[in-house]
Amino acid sequence: MRFTVGRVGSLISGRYELKEHIYTSNMSSVLKAWDYKEDRFVVVKISTDTVQYSNLVECLKREAGALSRIDHPRVVRVFDSGNIGPSHFIVLEYIHGTNLANYIHRHGRLFLDAAISVGIDLLEGLEAIHKEGIVHRDLKPENLITTRIGVKIIDLGLAVSTPAAEQKMDPLDSPGMVSGTPPYLSPEQAQGSEDLDARSDLYACGVILYELLTGALPFYNFKKDGQIFKYWQGRLRPFWEVSPAVDVPDKVQAVVWKALAVDPKDRYQTAEEMRMALLEVMEKYVTIPLP
C-alpha cells in the first residue's frame, strides 16, 4: 500500500509550500517548495513508499545527518528534516543550475578547460565530504549540478561513514549488497565490498572526467541491463578511439587512467591529491564557467 505524500500546493511543517515536482521515483519525491519563514525556495525530498521500501526513512535520515556535518560551497546544504505520517522529509538548498547529465545529453562532451574545471570543483566538494569520514558511493553526472559559479554535489542518500567497521554495522546494506549506479561503481564497490573508502569515490571521478572529455563511457563491454560486475574487467577505451578529432593531452589522460586503476592502491589516495594533479595540468588552460 502506498502512502501518498507530496501533493503540490500542500504545506509541510507550517512553512514549506510545495510548488512543483522536480522528479518522482518509487522511493522518493523531490519537489521545489517555498519556505515562508526564510522567504526562499528550497527542495523538499520525501520518502514515498515506506511499506515496499522499509529502509527509506533511515536512508533520508542518513542523508540529512551526513549533510549536516558538511559546510562547503561545493556540497548541497541541508536546512531541516522531519516526519509526515510514516514518511520522512528533508529540506535542502535549492540550486539554480543544470543537472550535469542533462548538460552532457544536450551538448555532448565539454571543452577541455571546462571539463577540468568541473573535475576540480567535484574534487573540492569530495575533500569536504571525505574530511568528515564520509564516502558518497553514488557519484555520477545526475548528482552534480552545474551553476555559473561552479559545481555542487547532491544526493548523499547512499553515503556511509568510515572506517570500515562503521560500514559493516550499517543497517541499510545487506552483506554483499551492491549500492550505487553502474557504470560509476569502483571494482570493489561492484563486488559488494564492505571496506569502501575515499578511493572508491575517486574511481567514480575518473569515469565522470572521461565522460566529460569524450561524451562516452570508458568501457568496451558495459551494458546497462547486463552484469554490473563485468564492465570494468576488460580494457579501457583509449581517448583517441572514442573521440579521434579531440586532442586530450597526455597529462590529462594520465590523471584519468590513474583514477580508473582497478586496484585502489594504484589510484590517487585522496581527493586533494587528484585535485592537485588536475590543477597542475590546468595551468596550461584558461578556466571558463559552464553556461
Side-chain angles (χ1 to χ4, degrees):
M1 177 180 178
R2 178 180 292 274
F3 179 79
T4 303
V5 295
R7 184 184 300 276
V8 171
S10 59
L11 195 66
I12 295 178
S13 293
R15 62 182 285 189
Y16 306 112
E17 183 180 353
L18 304 181
K19 293 294 188 180
E20 62 181 89
H21 283 279
I22 297 175
Y23 70 84
T24 300
S25 69
N26 288 332
M27 297 184 291
S28 64
S29 290
V30 178
L31 302 98
K32 183 178 180 180
W34 180 256
D35 180 354
Y36 282 101
K37 183 176 180 179
E38 298 293 338
D39 290 327
R40 64 187 176 189
F41 282 111
V42 294
V43 169
V44 177
K45 188 174 184 179
I46 310 170
S47 59
T48 55
D49 195 334
T50 57
V51 176
Q52 182 178 357
Y53 300 97
S54 58
N55 288 329
L56 284 180
V57 170
E58 289 304 317
C59 189
L60 284 181
K61 288 181 178 179
R62 177 167 63 180
E63 181 174 5
L67 287 171
S68 68
R69 294 157 54 186
I70 302 165
D71 182 14
H72 193 277
R74 300 299 181 204
V75 183
V76 65
R77 292 178 293 166
V78 62
F79 297 134
D80 195 6
S81 63
N83 296 310
I84 310 173
S87 295
H88 191 74
F89 72 90
I90 59 176
V91 180
L92 303 163
E93 170 189 11
Y94 178 76
I95 303 170
H96 296 272
T98 302
N99 177 293
L100 186 58
N102 292 337
Y103 187 93
I104 296 172
H105 179 73
R106 290 199 306 267
H107 302 284
R109 66 175 182 83
L110 275 62
F111 289 113
L112 179 62
D113 48 4
I116 295 175
S117 293
V118 169
I120 291 170
D121 287 351
L122 168 56
L123 289 161
E124 285 180 356
L126 273 184
E127 284 183 60
I129 292 172
H130 294 164
K131 184 178 179 180
E132 296 300 325
I134 296 169
V135 182
H136 189 289
R137 292 203 306 176
D138 199 23
L139 288 173
K140 55 186 176 182
E142 289 86 348
N143 286 341
L144 301 174
I145 303 297
T146 64
T147 74
R148 291 191 176 276
I149 58 173
V151 170
K152 277 186 179 277
I153 301 172
I154 64 171
D155 199 344
L156 272 72
L158 294 181
V160 292
S161 297
T162 55
E166 294 184 41
Q167 295 181 34
K168 291 177 181 178
M169 293 186 292
D170 192 329
L172 301 186
D173 291 337
S174 302
M177 176 181 176
V178 177
S179 297
T181 305
Y184 305 96
L185 301 175
S186 66
E188 62 271 22
Q189 188 175 356
Q191 295 179 90
S193 172
E194 297 177 333
D195 298 322
L196 300 180
D197 58 29
R199 296 172 296 182
S200 183
D201 284 344
L202 299 184
Y203 183 93
C205 287
V207 179
I208 292 169
L209 190 55
Y210 184 103
E211 191 173 3
L212 294 177
L213 291 164
T214 66
L217 295 171
F219 311 108
Y220 280 108
N221 56 344
F222 174 75
K223 294 182 179 180
K224 290 187 177 181
D225 58 350
Q227 290 289 329
I228 66 173
F229 310 110
K230 302 296 184 182
Y231 63 85
W232 49 266
Q233 293 179 344
R235 290 189 304 115
L236 297 174
R237 302 169 69 187
F239 283 85
W240 61 264
E241 181 179 300
V242 179
S243 300
V246 179
D247 182 19
V248 179
D250 290 343
K251 288 187 176 181
V252 177
Q253 294 187 39
V255 173
V256 175
W257 297 140
K258 184 168 183 176
L260 291 176
V262 172
D263 191 331
K265 296 192 297 293
D266 296 329
R267 297 176 205 151
Y268 294 101
Q269 299 302 290
T270 66
E272 180 183 14
E273 183 186 4
M274 185 173 175
R275 179 175 62 84
M276 295 305 293
L278 283 180
L279 283 171
E280 183 178 343
V281 299
M282 188 61 171
E283 292 179 358
K284 297 183 179 180
Y285 307 100
V286 178
T287 304
I288 59 172
L290 286 173

